Amino acid sequence: MRKAQRFTFRNFFHRPSLTSSMKPRPVNVYSFVPFSPFAMLDPTILTIGGIVLAVVFIEWLLDRWSVMNLADQFEKVMRFILPVTFYGALFYFFATFMF
């Protein structure tokens, strides 16, 4: 049989209890998104990243060689293609990511 604790109304509100009536329980915590940095080494992601870097390098070379007309046209095309490629690769990464 448990021993009951008695408190007066005044002591209940003005002084904290010396013993806790609740016992801590062990809590199991699980991660819903296990993420590893090695997941970015997917060959498809690396290929898309390499293509994007090659395109940027070609545009830099055209600008450096003073072929401004061709570099400007290249930039106009890449202004649309690069964001589409980025969001496509991001979608592919999360669609094929193993949880």
Side-chain angles (χ1 to χ4, degrees):
M1 193 167 173
R2 272 175 100 183
K3 186 177 180 182
Q5 294 180 354
R6 295 183 187 240
F7 296 106
T8 63
F9 182 76
R10 186 169 288 140
N11 287 340
F12 180 75
F13 280 105
H14 293 295
R15 190 175 63 178
S17 175
L18 298 176
T19 60
S20 175
S21 61
M22 295 181 63
K23 295 180 182 175
R25 296 183 196 172
V27 177
N28 294 330
V29 179
Y30 298 101
S31 174
F32 292 108
V33 183
F35 182 74
S36 169
F38 295 113
M40 292 298 285
L41 296 177
D42 182 26
T44 306
I45 298 293
L46 291 176
T47 303
I48 291 172
I51 291 171
V52 168
L53 285 176
V55 165
V56 170
F57 183 70
I58 289 170
E59 183 182 348
W60 178 78
L61 276 178
L62 289 173
D63 190 35
R64 183 96 167 151
W65 290 341
S66 299
V67 189
M68 297 297 178
N69 188 22
L70 191 57
D72 189 41
Q73 290 177 355
F74 207 70
E75 179 192 356
K76 287 178 185 176
V77 172
M78 289 300 112
R79 191 177 293 165
F80 172 75
I81 291 177
L82 289 178
V84 170
T85 305
F86 170 75
Y87 288 117
L90 194 66
F91 176 76
Y92 171 80
F93 174 72
F94 285 114
T96 59
F97 187 59
M98 299 301 267
F99 285 102

